[in-house]
Amino acid sequence: MAYETKLRADAPHNVIMEGRERLSISGVEDVESFDEGNIVVYTNKGMLIIRGRDLHIEKLSIDGGDLSVEGQVDSLRYEEEMKEKGSLLSRLFK
């Protein structure tokens, strides 16, 4: 059985960076991938890509929607949300 949780759409989403070495993010729904150079997370405001060097996830609480990252942060970028795909009929009658 897969465990799935979804934050409320109106849950707060905050990004706090301390000296480009510590990053705290709230409103996190899932972590898609991570390595020492990139971390890709889904937030309730869209997909966030964190790029840097020696990145390490220090704390992750999907239930609470919190993520803490340490390392040299070079950039933060939000990707546009992909609209849900569906059948032609479902898209016509929205």
Side-chain angles (χ1 to χ4, degrees):
M1 175 182 223
Y3 179 74
E4 188 173 316
T5 183
K6 184 86 168 161
L7 292 176
R8 295 183 345 251
D10 62 345
H13 172 62
N14 297 301
V15 177
I16 301 169
M17 188 176 340
E18 300 172 34
R20 288 183 62 183
E21 296 168 356
R22 288 176 96 58
L23 189 62
S24 299
I25 305 169
S26 63
V28 173
E29 295 178 347
D30 195 13
V31 176
E32 179 177 295
S33 64
F34 63 94
D35 59 32
E36 290 187 349
N38 296 296
I39 300 175
V40 179
V41 298
Y42 288 101
T43 73
N44 57 359
K45 300 297 182 187
M47 185 171 67
L48 175 63
I49 300 171
I50 304 159
R51 294 187 193 267
R53 293 184 304 271
D54 299 321
L55 298 176
H56 300 283
I57 294 177
E58 293 296 314
K59 179 183 135 188
L60 173 62
S61 171
I62 297 297
D63 291 338
D66 298 317
L67 173 70
S68 295
V69 175
E70 288 189 357
Q72 180 68 35
V73 177
D74 292 333
S75 70
L76 302 171
R77 185 178 78 199
Y78 286 91
E79 291 288 322
E80 289 188 35
E81 292 185 49
M82 299 297 290
K83 296 192 179 203
E84 290 183 30
K85 293 183 179 179
S87 69
L88 177 61
L89 289 177
S90 66
R91 289 182 287 178
L92 286 174
F93 294 108
K94 277 192 172 187

